[in-house]
Amino acid sequence: YKLFYLIVCCVYFLLKYLVNTKYHKVKLTVHFSFFVFVLFILSFCSLDFSVFQWVQTMVFAIEQINHDPSLLPNVTLGYRIYDNCVKLPVALKAASALIGGLDDTITDNTCKGTPPVLAIVGDPVSTHAIAISRILSLFRIPLVIYYASCSCLSNKREFPSFFRTIPSDAFQVKAMIRIIRHYGWTWVGGIATDDDYGQYAIRNFIEDFKNFGCISFIETIPTVNQKAQIIQIVNTIKQSTAKVIVIFSSIADVTALVKETVRQNITGRQWIASEGWSTSSVLASKENFGQFDGTIGIAIRKGNILGLKDFLLEIRPKYDASNNLVIQFWERLFGCKFENSSILINNVLCNETELISGTFTGYTDVSELRAAYNVYKAVYAIAHALHSLALCKNGQGPFGNSTCADIANVQPWQLFHYLKKVNFTNNLGERVAFDENGDALAIYDIVNWQRKEDGIVHIKTIGLFDVPESVCSKSCQPGSRKANRKGEPICCFDCIPCAEGEISNQTDSIECLKCLGDFWSNRGRSQCVLKEIEYLSYDDAMGITLSTVSAFGACLSLGVLAVFIYYRNTPVVKANNSELSFLLLVSLTFCFLCALCFIGQPSHLTCMLRHVVFGISFVLCISCILVKTIVVIMAFKSTLPGTNLMKWFGVAQQRGTVVFFTLIQSIICIIWLSTNPPGPLKNTKYQNGKIIFECNIGSVTGFSSVLGYIGLLACICFLSAFLARKLPDNFNEAKFITFSMLIFCAVWITFIPAYVSSPGKYTVAVEVFAILASSYGILFAIFAPKCYIILFKPEKNTKKALMGRADPSK
């Protein structure tokens, strides 16, 4: 290898002086933890806008990778760009410079050390790719091709370090054969360019086609345009009775043949185009459609790269003697020149204010991203190979003694090893992998040239050609794991989806990893994401509704209180113990407002307030109702002869009773808060994919005591009112108290099973609903009849009317 290395360096010296054509080079100099170079070779001397789009797609992909924290963290990819000007010597010169680490300056140590780049993307021409790959294969430097499709490159013995993201022509031929057999065509002509691409393709085509059909003629398009040969080919087409003609060629080589065919007006032929020219918008034009209408072509699979359009429009010219690609592009696009430019187009100077967004060329058109998409996949394939290399664990590596490569000093042959095993699904949902020959998975679009109503020729995708894989089991995609089938070879396995809370983020994972802490698996089980935090908030519809109902209830209670205060001297208010009524309405207001403590993100303060305010407010409310019931009963007992119970239960005793009952609940709450108070809790037990942010009650005994005490007072109040229900209506409100307590008890009895069975934030919603329902039940049952008389039936709000029912004669 050292001898070969020396020979290659010497070749470079010769080319340095023999070839006068300069190459353009762009170097990215970003400083980070570690820096890796990728070489990109293209053919841009013709200033083809589509080709320059390929360059920018490569830059876009590298910038995406460098900003992706999950792919190659702490590693920055850089790039060098070489323009071979469609000349093989220049392409070899670039490859030689790569191997020797050569730049414009040559030293004695140039041919020593690690090559400055780890991989090459390009060359797009098959003949160039063959020559470059032969040199690079000696050193196992990976060459990832994006456009060269010659089937000869699939020979791993001759090109061991070769990979490509475009399918081999062997598969393209199979697609053409499938189309021809589908239509029953058995008499065809063949035309191919005089290079490796065309000759290997036509040879494979003849071998496959002769099994069921016959070849009328085979013609060769010269790579150097010779008009006499083009005319001779067209004459052959005219003389042949074959109506179906297959052409393997690039756009540049077939253009002269297309023009001559149009000039001689040869019609009635069915053309079958190779991927090299099937999607050319230049050839698929109005002028050519009369002779090439209905052309069927094989096309590279196109992709939709999100964000690329905006990136392409952001480019700005910057004069640099070592990088004039952008300058050339800008001058050609806008028909101007820069002051320091050696290229003279006209006398118009570029002012750098021109807008690319106002142009429509092959550069800005992202509707047919085919070759550019292959460039995108090639860069990502290299990045994923490097990422797998970086993740290697010592003792589990693929090299001698199970060692791993050092990402800080990685060698190209080590990257070559990982490129062979690249297998991932890109962000467009397409699987990217290489077979044993380094070829991409074979998939093509079938296109057809059609004319729209306005006369514009449209290259429409009409089908898809996909080569079946010969595998026992397809690869397990991220989100699943491999499970070997008992008694079957290792190639045969099942893909088991990862369980909830587990993920696999690589193809063919043998195990699923469990998400930790506050993380949970996404829908595809390919990534751990933060669990959704759920609580009853003021922002969602349910929280807004309950808040509104709560506020309305509080306002309604205050409104009733205002009415009672205003009419405090009327018989209806006086007869129903006005002081207790006022206190009851105030407590109901607090009952409505305490519901607001249950809405919003739980905190230590709100968790303590919600239960304390709830417990004390409802005890105060029920105490007032209980005392009112006792007063009614004693008032009627006092009317019996020899009885005067009311002197033992006057106003002072009534106030004291309410305070006493409420004080007991306050003591219970103080003990609860002192020993084991409620607090916020992130609950992950009931819903694995969510964190239920709720209030932990702390002491079960304390919470039970608060609810139990409220229930005890409610039962006593209900029984007392039930016993007093037959007393005259005009003198007491026992019937309404009974009804209100019936609603209260019913609501809280049904609350228990609903509370237990409700998930997440709905648990809190059920509790709030019970608070509001019971509060509204008491408010309406006790005060609605009185407000009706006060506001709408004032004639009944008299002492005579109230005493009427008490007189037996009436």
Side-chain angles (χ1 to χ4, degrees):
Y1 280 138
K2 290 183 179 179
L3 178 61
F4 283 129
Y5 200 92
L6 180 61
I7 291 172
V8 169
C9 290
C10 293
V11 169
Y12 173 75
F13 293 128
L14 291 174
L15 292 173
K16 182 78 175 180
Y17 295 100
L18 292 176
V19 182
N20 294 323
T21 308
K22 291 187 177 180
Y23 58 83
H24 309 287
K25 180 180 69 177
V26 178
K27 181 185 290 186
L28 185 68
T29 54
V30 178
H31 299 285
F32 205 56
S33 299
F34 180 56
F35 195 66
V36 178
F37 269 114
V38 176
L39 185 74
F40 184 78
I41 299 178
L42 72 153
S43 302
F44 186 60
C45 279
S46 60
L47 295 176
D48 187 327
F49 294 141
S50 298
V51 174
F52 193 65
Q53 184 193 71
W54 304 351
V55 178
Q56 292 304 107
T57 302
M58 183 272 296
V59 177
F60 174 74
I62 287 180
E63 290 197 7
Q64 262 194 341
I65 293 166
N66 288 340
H67 288 88
D68 187 350
S70 64
L71 184 62
L72 287 178
N74 300 326
V75 176
T76 297
L77 288 179
Y79 57 86
R80 286 186 174 128
I81 301 175
Y82 286 85
D83 182 4
N84 64 19
C85 293
V86 203
K87 290 183 174 64
L88 178 57
V90 181
L92 288 173
K93 177 182 177 181
S96 302
L98 158 70
I99 297 171
L102 302 179
D103 210 321
D104 293 333
T105 303
I106 303 170
T107 65
D108 293 337
N109 296 323
T110 300
C111 289
K112 297 179 181 179
T114 304
V117 299
L118 293 178
I120 296 180
V121 178
D123 185 299
V125 182
S126 290
T127 301
H128 297 182
I130 292 169
I132 294 172
S133 186
R134 284 197 173 107
I135 296 175
L136 299 182
S137 294
L138 299 174
F139 306 95
R140 291 297 190 271
I141 297 177
L143 174 64
V144 185
I145 298 295
Y146 56 89
Y147 205 68
S149 58
C150 179
S151 59
C152 58
L153 288 165
S154 298
N155 187 341
K156 269 300 176 187
R157 182 172 296 178
E158 192 172 355
F159 310 104
S161 63
F162 172 83
F163 303 89
R164 58 181 160 195
T165 53
I166 183 174
S168 166
D169 280 337
F171 300 111
Q172 180 176 203
V173 168
K174 292 180 185 296
M176 289 184 172
I177 294 295
R178 183 78 65 85
I179 293 171
I180 292 171
R181 295 195 71 159
H182 174 76
Y183 288 106
W185 297 324
T186 58
W187 184 237
V188 303
I191 302 174
T193 51
D194 189 16
D195 56 15
D196 293 299
Y197 166 70
Q199 293 306 304
Y200 273 96
I202 198 67
R203 187 187 308 165
N204 291 340
F205 177 80
I206 293 171
E207 289 179 1
D208 288 354
F209 183 71
K210 68 183 181 181
N211 294 325
F212 67 92
C214 300
I215 302 292
S216 172
F217 63 87
I218 296 294
E219 292 290 342
T220 301
I221 302 174
T223 52
V224 179
N225 189 6
Q226 298 179 11
K227 190 170 183 179
Q229 284 185 263
I230 296 296
I231 293 175
Q232 184 266 323
I233 295 173
V234 174
N235 289 334
T236 301
I237 295 172
K238 288 170 64 177
Q239 295 168 8
S240 173
T241 57
K243 301 300 181 183
V244 178
I245 301 171
V246 177
I247 301 181
F248 293 96
S249 175
S250 65
I251 298 172
D253 293 329
V254 81
T255 300
L257 178 62
V258 170
K259 289 181 178 179
E260 185 62 26
T261 303
V262 173
R263 191 186 69 82
Q264 296 194 26
N265 194 26
I266 298 176
T267 59
R269 302 298 190 276
Q270 175 61 59
W271 305 90
I272 299 181
S274 68
E275 40 73 31
W277 64 283
S278 63
T279 57
S280 170
S281 57
V282 175
L283 298 178
S285 62
K286 294 182 189 179
E287 295 76 18
N288 300 337
F289 192 77
Q291 291 71 37
F292 286 85
D293 62 309
T295 295
I296 297 176
I298 308 299
I300 302 169
R301 183 77 167 150
K302 72 176 179 180
N304 179 26
I305 306 176
L306 297 177
L308 178 61
K309 176 76 172 182
D310 295 334
F311 181 81
L312 295 176
L313 298 179
E314 290 173 357
I315 188 173
R316 304 301 301 169
K318 182 179 180 182
Y319 192 82
D320 185 350
S322 63
N323 171 24
N324 61 358
L325 285 178
V326 177
I327 297 298
Q328 290 185 49
F329 164 75
W330 200 269
E331 291 178 334
R332 174 69 181 275
L333 180 63
F334 295 107
C336 60
K337 69 182 182 67
F338 289 91
E339 292 182 357
N340 298 325
S341 176
S342 60
I343 303 173
L344 295 177
I345 298 179
N346 53 42
N347 293 324
V348 179
L349 289 177
C350 300
N351 55 22
E352 301 186 22
T353 60
E354 297 88 358
L355 295 176
I356 296 181
S357 58
T359 65
F360 185 79
T361 63
Y363 174 76
T364 57
D365 182 13
V366 295
S367 62
E368 293 288 327
L369 295 178
R370 299 185 187 274
Y373 183 44
N374 283 349
V375 171
Y376 186 79
K377 290 190 289 186
V379 175
Y380 264 90
I382 294 172
H384 276 272
L386 273 172
H387 188 71
S388 298
L389 182 149
L391 292 178
C392 179
K393 296 180 180 179
N394 287 328
Q396 302 177 10
F399 307 116
N401 299 322
S402 299
T403 58
C404 296
D406 181 7
I407 187 64
N409 190 28
V410 63
Q411 300 296 313
W413 63 269
Q414 295 171 320
L415 177 62
F416 157 74
H417 175 85
Y418 282 94
L419 263 173
K420 293 190 297 183
K421 298 182 179 181
V422 161
N423 193 336
F424 66 96
T425 301
N426 63 16
N427 51 12
L428 304 180
E430 182 177 339
R431 182 185 167 205
V432 179
F434 303 111
D435 64 14
E436 64 277 6
N437 297 321
D439 292 325
L441 303 177
I443 183 170
Y444 292 99
D445 286 335
I446 310 298
V447 297
N448 182 230
W449 293 9
Q450 301 176 2
R451 183 158 55 189
K452 295 182 178 179
E453 294 179 358
D454 56 4
I456 298 177
V457 179
H458 176 56
I459 303 173
K460 185 177 181 180
T461 301
I462 59 173
L464 182 72
F465 179 80
D466 192 2
V467 177
E469 297 179 79
S470 179
V471 293
C472 180
S473 299
K474 289 188 177 181
S475 294
C476 295
Q477 298 302 307
S480 61
R481 64 176 177 84
K482 292 169 62 175
N484 293 330
R485 298 173 185 166
K486 189 175 182 180
E488 295 190 30
I490 194 172
C491 297
C492 301
F493 50 82
D494 294 319
C495 295
I496 309 299
C498 293
E500 287 188 351
E502 297 182 352
I503 63 147
S504 66
N505 54 10
Q506 293 183 341
T507 304
D508 287 334
S509 294
I510 59 174
E511 62 179 353
C512 295
L513 304 176
K514 194 169 184 178
C515 295
L516 301 176
D518 293 342
F519 291 85
W520 195 249
S521 56
N522 61 357
R523 183 172 296 181
R525 307 284 200 275
S526 59
Q527 187 179 7
C528 288
V529 296
L530 280 171
K531 291 181 178 179
E532 178 186 350
I533 297 179
E534 184 179 83
Y535 58 87
L536 186 63
S537 72
Y538 288 102
D539 297 328
D540 57 36
M542 185 180 298
I544 293 172
T545 303
L546 292 175
S547 301
T548 304
V549 173
S550 174
F552 179 75
C555 293
L556 195 61
S557 298
L558 292 175
V560 174
L561 178 61
V563 170
F564 266 57
I565 292 174
Y566 186 79
Y567 292 98
R568 61 185 178 277
N569 295 320
T570 61
V572 169
V573 177
K574 286 184 175 180
N576 287 278
N577 201 325
S578 58
E579 186 174 328
L580 286 177
S581 296
F582 296 159
L583 189 57
L584 176 58
L585 287 168
V586 171
S587 66
L588 279 174
T589 303
F590 282 110
C591 289
F592 282 115
L593 293 178
C594 80
L596 298 177
C597 297
F598 290 80
I599 303 173
Q601 182 173 329
S603 64
H604 288 283
L605 179 62
T606 57
C607 286
M608 289 189 290
L609 278 179
R610 65 171 57 174
H611 292 103
V612 170
V613 175
F614 159 72
I616 295 177
S617 298
F618 269 89
V619 165
L620 179 60
C621 175
I622 302 300
S623 299
C624 292
I625 297 173
L626 178 58
V627 171
K628 283 170 70 71
T629 307
I630 295 173
V631 168
V632 170
I633 294 174
M634 287 189 172
F636 273 90
K637 293 292 184 181
S638 298
T639 59
L640 298 177
T643 318
N644 189 14
L645 296 176
M646 284 302 298
K647 68 178 181 179
W648 303 104
F649 201 68
V651 175
Q653 289 78 11
Q654 295 172 22
R655 294 172 184 167
T657 303
V658 171
V659 172
F660 175 75
F661 287 149
T662 306
L663 183 61
I664 293 175
Q665 182 74 305
S666 300
I667 294 172
I668 294 174
C669 290
I670 291 172
I671 295 173
W672 180 14
L673 296 180
S674 302
T675 55
N676 192 3
L681 172 70
K682 292 183 177 180
N683 191 338
T684 59
K685 295 180 180 179
Y686 301 113
Q687 295 188 42
N688 292 326
K690 293 181 180 179
I691 296 176
I692 309 300
F693 207 3
E694 60 183 12
C695 284
N696 179 23
I697 60 174
S699 171
V700 177
T701 304
F703 183 65
S704 302
S705 300
V706 168
L707 289 182
Y709 184 63
I710 294 173
L712 176 64
L713 290 181
C715 291
I716 295 173
C717 186
F718 173 73
L719 291 174
S720 301
F722 181 78
L723 294 175
R725 71 189 186 283
K726 294 183 178 180
L727 296 176
D729 293 340
N730 288 32
F731 283 92
N732 70 88
E733 50 188 335
K735 181 174 65 176
F736 301 121
I737 293 175
T738 304
F739 186 57
S740 67
M741 287 296 99
L742 186 62
I743 294 174
F744 183 89
C745 294
V747 167
W748 286 100
I749 290 173
T750 55
F751 157 78
I752 296 173
Y755 182 84
V756 173
S757 61
S758 298
K761 63 182 180 182
Y762 300 103
T763 303
V764 180
V766 167
E767 191 169 358
V768 173
F769 177 80
I771 292 172
L772 296 178
S774 55
S775 300
Y776 272 107
I778 295 173
L779 180 64
F780 280 102
I782 295 178
F783 292 99
K786 300 175 181 56
C787 289
Y788 176 76
I789 292 175
I790 293 172
L791 298 176
F792 302 106
K793 296 289 183 179
E795 67 276 7
K796 293 184 178 181
N797 191 6
T798 61
K799 186 174 181 181
K800 182 179 180 181
L802 291 177
M803 297 297 293
R805 288 286 304 272
D807 190 348
S809 64
K810 294 186 179 182

